[in-house]
Structure formats: structure tokens, C-alpha cells
Amino acid sequence: MLIRRPSDLPASEITDQSLFWNRRDFLKAAGLGAAAVGGLLPSMNLLSRRSDEDKLTPWEDVTGYNNYYEFGTGKDDPARQAGGLRTKPWKVDIAGEVKRPAVYDLGDLLKPFTPVERVYRMRCVEGWSMVIPWLGIPLGGIIDRLEPTSKAKYVEFTTLLDPQQMPGQQRGVLEWPYVEALRMDEARHPLTLMVTGVYGKPLPNQNGAPLRLIVPWKYGFKGGKSIVKIRFRETQPQTTWNIAAPDEYGFFANVNPEVDHPRWSQSRERRIGQLFKRKTLMFNGYGDQVASLYAGMDLRKNF
Ligand SMILES: Nc1nc2c(c(=O)[nH]1)N[C@H]1C(S)=C(S)[C@@H](COP(=O)(O)O)O[C@H]1N2
Ligand SMILES: [Mo]
């Protein structure tokens, strides 16, 4: 477990009162005691009374046990092979149904925003889970600034296509480039983040540097890595895993313990680094915040 000192906390976390709840969630999940935060928060004793439920997954697992098929299909392949990916300079093409389309330098695209720290439970469709302190920018704010047109109903995220740098793309395990997408209301939901860092540090390449999507109530595959294009669309985009196996990976991919993968149950999960399996929660435990997005939808059909 990597215990961070207050000096490691991003300045935004310390100065911006509106981010209080993020910091509190982080400290709670990190289990940092009053000593560790040096009296930053008066209510620390309360916050340190957390169970093991959502203890942070160690840095070594977050950055050493990955899915990033562009760098191989083994869990340790990305950590071994992604290191050389050139993430500077990095351009992001903003396209489609939007009033400010352009190829932006990543720094310019994100300049008006301050990353916030959010501890999210993450659930992979393969049955494992982690608790990760992401550093990111709520996508909704970025979308507002880009001004989608009234036709924009979906947002599509495309990963870099570069078989030279990404050896996995020289093989046909998936259709390249990796594409994921959200409905506009999902993209604008305050939980949805464009992530640039983790554990208070810049994002390691194996986790999707320099920019990746995180949607904590959905299976991990919705969170495309190393994004070079964000396109606003009127119609529902074709997405990589849905193309690969439509009966196994739906477009919505909301975490749902009641809808099994055709080849395995989704009712339980293994928290990486912990011994016993735990129950998987509807919407990965974020139902109070996101269930209303799907009111009236049959979630067995729209899996
Ligand atoms: N471009 C790209 N993005 C991707 C993947 C991938 O193979 N390629 N794997 C997905 C899957 S299945 C998961 S579980 C998460 C894993 O993110 P992490 O390695 O940062 O935990 O990334 C998702 N994003
Ligand atoms: Mo996954």
C-alpha cells in the first residue's frame, strides 16, 4: 500500500472547497489516519473508521495487472510493453456534431480544468475488481465547453492506432483501433471522468496515458485508453467489444450481477489483492446515482 503524505496531494484537493467530498472519499478509502493528513480535516477520526470493503488496490496491482490488448493480452504485458509509447505531444481530434471541432493539443483541451481525485470501484467483465484513486476531469465540463449540437446523442472515443508502437495491433485479436462510446447523458453524468492520473501521479502508459475514459458503474472495457479522438454522433456507434461478440458484450455494459456473461456468472467478483470473493453490486454500487439514467429500460435486453 502506497501511503501518500499531504504534500503528495494535488493542490486542487487541498485548496478547492468544492472538492471536499472527493478528498474525503479518497481519505476514507485510503484509510489514512489523522496523523497522515496532519489535521487537514477536523473530522478525520470519523473518516478513518472504514472497513476493508473499499481499501485501495495497491499501486503495484493497479499498474501491473492490466487489460490493454494493444500491448498484449497477458495481464503483465501492458506494464512490460507500454513503457515506450510516446504520449507527448498528444493531439485529440474533436469531431462530429459539435460547434468547436478541431484537433486540439491535449494541454489546450484540458487547460481550463483542474483534475479532481476520485476513488472508484472498478469491475472488469472478467470477474475481478479494484479500488482505484483516479485523477481526472469530469467529462461533462469538457463536453459543455466543446458545445455539441442538438443532434449529438452519443459520444465515441477512439484509441490511438499505431501498430509500430502498439505491437498488439499487428495481430487481429480485436478490430483496431479500439472504439468505445456512451450515450450523451452517460457521458455528461458527474461520475464520468476523463482520467489523466492515478494515485496522485501522471497516468502510467499501461493504464491509458495520457488520456482515458472511466465510467465506474460499467464494466471496465467501456473505459477506452490513450484516446486520440472524441466524436459526437447522432446514431449509436459500433464499439469494439460489441463488434467482437455482441451476445457477450452489450453497448451499455452496466455492471449487473443478474445478467451473466454467456460463459460465466457475474454475481460475484474477486477484489484484486484480497482472498475472498464478494458479491457484485448492481451498477457496481453506484445505483443511487445512475439508475435513473435507465428508467424504463429492460436491463436484461439492454445489457
Ligand atoms: N484501448 C484499450 N482500452 C481498454 C482496453 C484495451 O484493451 N484497449 N481494455 C479495457 C478493459 S477490458 C479494462 S478492464 C480496462 C482496464 O483498465 P486498467 O488496466 O487501467 O485497470 O481498460 C479498458 N480499456
Ligand atoms: Mo475488462
Side-chain angles (χ1 to χ4, degrees):
M1 160 78 72
L2 190 144
I3 300 291
R4 300 190 309 147
R5 291 164 288 117
S7 59
D8 293 325
L9 288 169
S12 63
E13 287 298 300
I14 293 166
T15 52
D16 190 338
Q17 277 305 310
S18 70
L19 302 175
F20 175 80
W21 70 273
N22 299 322
R23 179 171 65 238
R24 186 192 54 192
D25 285 355
F26 170 73
L27 294 169
K28 195 165 102 186
L32 295 182
V37 288
L40 247 185
L41 297 169
S43 48
M44 263 332 282
N45 316 350
L46 245 175
L47 302 177
S48 60
R49 267 203 275 119
R50 57 114 191 96
S51 67
D52 273 358
E53 269 300 287
D54 286 333
K55 208 167 72 176
L56 293 188
T57 301
W59 163 268
E60 289 70 23
D61 293 322
V62 171
T63 62
Y65 188 92
N66 302 99
N67 269 339
Y68 199 169
Y69 279 19
E70 285 86 339
F71 294 101
T73 53
K75 300 299 174 213
D76 55 353
D77 287 341
R80 286 189 295 108
Q81 300 209 65
L85 177 68
R86 287 186 304 275
T87 57
K88 264 182 217 161
W90 193 268
K91 308 271 185 207
V92 183
D93 184 0
I94 303 295
E97 292 293 343
V98 62
K99 293 184 187 141
R100 301 179 63 185
V103 177
Y104 291 79
D105 183 72
L106 179 60
D108 295 334
L109 183 69
L110 303 184
K111 193 176 292 168
F113 306 100
T114 308
V116 295
E117 188 146 51
R118 298 269 183 84
V119 175
Y120 283 161
R121 293 180 292 276
M122 304 300 301
R123 174 62 155 79
C124 178
V125 74
E126 294 166 15
W128 47 269
S129 63
M130 298 194 188
V131 180
I132 303 184
W134 297 116
L135 209 53
I137 295 160
L139 176 58
I142 300 174
I143 290 177
D144 286 345
R145 178 162 175 264
L146 296 171
E147 297 182 65
T149 72
S150 59
K151 282 187 180 169
K153 302 282 188 290
Y154 296 88
V155 191
E156 177 190 82
F157 306 86
T158 304
T159 294
L160 178 68
L161 178 65
D162 186 344
Q164 296 295 354
Q165 292 201 80
M166 297 176 145
Q169 290 180 340
Q170 294 167 22
R171 279 168 285 133
V173 275
L174 287 173
E175 260 186 38
W176 308 112
Y178 194 99
V179 174
E180 260 309 334
L182 298 173
R183 215 170 56 189
M184 186 61 88
D185 58 343
E186 299 177 319
R188 284 186 184 277
H189 191 282
L191 286 173
T192 303
L193 288 186
M194 292 309 298
V195 160
T196 56
V198 68
Y199 265 110
K201 297 186 169 69
L203 204 57
N205 289 352
Q206 59 267 36
N207 294 93
L211 185 71
R212 63 91 55 91
L213 178 68
I214 287 292
V215 194
W217 70 93
K218 294 177 179 282
Y219 290 114
F221 71 85
K222 294 299 287 183
K225 295 180 167 181
S226 305
I227 289 165
V228 294
K229 185 169 184 173
I230 300 177
R231 180 155 66 130
F232 295 85
R233 301 194 55 180
E234 187 168 13
T235 54
Q236 184 176 304
Q238 296 270 89
T239 53
T240 295
W241 279 104
N242 188 245
I243 293 170
D247 52 330
E248 299 186 16
Y249 311 106
F251 175 82
F252 286 97
N254 291 318
V255 173
N256 188 342
E258 286 163 22
V259 176
D260 289 336
H261 186 282
R263 290 180 279 134
W264 59 82
S265 163
Q266 291 291 24
S267 68
R268 293 161 72 73
E269 66 197 56
R270 186 169 70 88
R271 187 62 60 78
I272 296 297
Q274 295 184 13
L275 205 51
F276 298 106
K277 285 200 174 180
R278 64 180 62 218
K279 278 192 170 150
T280 287
L281 302 176
M282 187 66 200
F283 298 115
N284 206 24
Y286 296 98
D288 54 340
Q289 294 169 75
V290 302
S292 61
L293 297 177
Y294 310 102
M297 281 176 65
D298 180 349
L299 296 177
R300 290 189 168 275
K301 257 174 71 188
N302 298 286
F303 61 87

